[in-house]
Amino acid sequence: MEDEEVVIEIIKCEKSDISVTKEDNIIFNDPTDPVLWEGSFTNDQVKLSYTVVVGQYNESETYNFIFNKVNECLKIDRAYKYYDGKFVDVSAVTEMQVSEFYIKDWEINSLFSGLLVYVDPHDKNTYSRKFWIDNFKDTSNLVEIPKYFDDCFKDKFPIEIDVDKDGIIDFNLTYEENNDIGNTPKFDSYTIQLIPASNKNKILSPKKNSSPYTIIFEPPFSSENTRQYFGGVKNTLYIFYEFESPYENYNYFLSNNLTYKNILQNDLPDYFVISKDIGGIEYFGWIKFILDTSTCEAEVLFAYLETNPNIHVKVN
C-alpha cells in the first residue's frame, strides 16, 4: 500500500530545468522500427506510453503512465505495464510504481516533456526515462461499454454431453472462476473447460513433439493421429481476465485477446476428439462445438461415438 501512496501523491505544477529535447521522443533508436513515446488525452487525463516487442511472435510490453489534470498541474494517477501475448501467450496487466517525475514543458494537450523514474514490476529494476511528446491523440469521445463474462456465458454452462446417447453424461463443457487477490491490480479469471465425467473417458490431443499440447481439432483429422498427454494437455479453451475500473478495457472478454483465438476465430468448424471405455474396450468419437465471444455463442452442435470398438473416426 505504501508504494501505491507514493504514486498517487506525486503532483507537479512547477517546471524543471532538466535537459530534454525533441530527440527524447525516441526510446530505442532503430533505422526501420524505432520505439517512440506516444501520447493521448481526455478532458481529465493525459496518457503517455511506449511499446517494446519482446518475443519472436511479436509479443509486446506497453508501459503506460496516466496523469490527472489538476488545474495547471499534473498528478500521477497510476502507471502499469501491459504484456500482450498475441496468439502464443496469456496477456496481463501489472501496476508499476513511479517514484519521481519532472516536467520540462507542459502546453495543455499539445506538448509534454520531462523525466519519469519508475520500477519495473517484473525485473524490479529502477528506470529513468526522459520523454517528449508533441503529437497527442484526442480520446475524449472514446466510450467503451464493458461486456463481462457473466453477461454472455454464465447461464449457458455447463453443457452436458452424452456422446453415445445412452442416457449417461460423458463430458461437461463448463467454466471455472478464480479470484486473484495477489496481483496488482486484482482480477477475476474464468476458464472454459471440457471435463470428462468419468476416468474411462479421455480427451485426445493432436500428436506433437513439444508443449503446449492443444485439444482442438479442425478438419481434416483422424483419431488415429492423436495421443493422450498427461503433463501438458490444455483442457482450457479460453482464459478471461476481468479487471475492475480503471482497467476494464483490458478485460479478455472485451478486447477478445484470448487463448486459442487463432483457432477459434477462423472459419473452420472446431472439434474435440474423445474416446470412451466400454467394458474394457476403447471406442473413438468426436464432439463438434462452437464458441464465439463476439456473439455470445456457446453450443455443442453434435457428438458422435463410433459403434465399433477400436475403429478410428475421421472428419474430412
Side-chain angles (χ1 to χ4, degrees):
M1 293 299 295
E2 294 179 358
D3 289 346
E4 293 182 12
E5 292 173 1
V6 170
V7 173
I8 292 172
E9 294 304 319
I10 300 178
I11 304 176
K12 292 289 181 181
C13 296
E14 74 282 0
K15 296 181 180 179
S16 171
D17 61 357
I18 58 175
S19 175
V20 183
T21 68
K22 190 169 185 176
E23 284 67 35
D24 290 312
N25 180 246
I26 302 172
I27 300 289
F28 301 114
N29 209 347
D30 183 274
T32 59
D33 192 21
V35 176
L36 306 176
W37 280 103
E38 297 181 349
S40 62
F41 67 87
T42 65
N43 295 331
D44 304 315
Q45 291 186 327
V46 174
K47 177 182 177 181
L48 308 185
S49 65
Y50 67 89
T51 301
V52 181
V53 175
V54 295
Q56 62 176 324
Y57 300 103
N58 287 323
E59 306 100 295
S60 64
E61 292 178 337
T62 300
Y63 294 77
N64 302 273
F65 304 87
I66 311 298
F67 303 82
N68 288 336
K69 297 175 181 177
V70 184
N71 298 322
E72 297 299 318
C73 306
L74 289 174
K75 170 184 175 181
I76 282 284
D77 177 68
R78 65 190 185 278
Y80 62 96
K81 182 164 72 170
Y82 171 57
Y83 170 70
D84 186 350
K86 305 298 181 185
F87 292 140
V88 296
D89 199 3
V90 175
S91 303
V93 176
T94 309
E95 288 189 350
M96 300 189 298
Q97 174 191 344
V98 175
S99 56
E100 303 175 62
F101 94 88
Y102 302 92
I103 297 174
K104 174 65 176 179
D105 302 285
W106 169 233
E107 299 174 11
I108 297 176
N109 301 338
S110 62
L111 173 61
F112 189 18
S113 68
L115 175 72
L116 282 161
V117 181
Y118 62 93
V119 178
D120 188 290
H122 297 116
D123 65 20
K124 309 303 180 184
N125 291 328
T126 298
Y127 294 88
S128 178
R129 300 254 187 235
K130 293 181 179 180
F131 60 89
W132 174 290
I133 301 176
D134 57 7
N135 184 18
F136 283 81
K137 295 179 181 178
D138 184 353
T139 58
S140 301
N141 295 322
L142 293 180
V143 178
E144 293 179 330
I145 303 176
K147 186 192 293 182
Y148 289 90
F149 184 90
D150 283 2
D151 297 333
C152 273
F153 287 138
K154 188 172 184 179
D155 294 335
K156 296 186 177 181
F157 294 110
I159 299 174
E160 298 179 334
I161 306 168
D162 177 5
V163 294
D164 56 351
K165 310 300 186 293
D166 65 352
I168 299 173
I169 301 304
D170 301 302
F171 296 88
N172 285 283
L173 188 60
T174 186
Y175 76 93
E176 181 178 279
E177 177 182 356
N178 289 288
N179 309 112
D180 192 311
I181 60 174
N183 189 73
T184 304
K186 299 178 179 65
F187 62 85
D188 295 330
S189 66
Y190 298 84
T191 61
I192 296 178
Q193 302 173 339
L194 181 68
I195 307 295
S198 166
N199 59 11
K200 293 186 177 183
N201 304 331
K202 297 178 182 178
I203 304 169
L204 303 178
S205 299
K207 286 184 178 178
K208 287 181 61 179
N209 294 323
S210 61
S211 64
Y213 304 114
T214 63
I215 59 171
I216 295 179
F217 287 78
E218 294 183 327
F221 65 83
S222 167
S223 60
E224 194 169 10
N225 190 36
T226 61
R227 182 180 300 167
Q228 185 185 32
Y229 296 91
F230 294 95
V233 171
K234 286 184 177 180
N235 66 343
T236 298
L237 297 182
Y238 274 9
I239 299 175
F240 303 87
Y241 283 180
E242 292 200 341
F243 299 94
E244 298 298 328
S245 178
Y247 297 105
E248 66 270 19
N249 60 307
Y250 290 104
N251 287 350
Y252 270 28
F253 188 74
L254 177 65
S255 63
N256 220 22
N257 293 325
L258 307 167
T259 57
Y260 286 117
K261 179 179 177 180
N262 57 330
I263 298 175
L264 287 166
Q265 287 196 336
N266 62 32
D267 295 329
L268 296 175
D270 301 306
Y271 295 80
F272 304 115
V273 176
I274 54 89
S275 68
K276 180 176 180 179
D277 183 311
I278 302 175
I281 303 174
E282 190 170 30
Y283 293 77
F284 294 95
W286 47 259
I287 298 166
K288 185 178 181 180
F289 69 98
I290 185 171
L291 184 59
D292 189 332
T293 60
S294 63
T295 58
C296 299
E297 289 183 89
E299 184 180 359
V300 171
L301 301 175
F302 197 82
Y304 171 77
L305 191 71
E306 170 61 45
T307 56
N308 297 306
N310 299 314
I311 299 298
H312 288 283
V313 293
K314 297 180 181 180
V315 174
N316 295 317

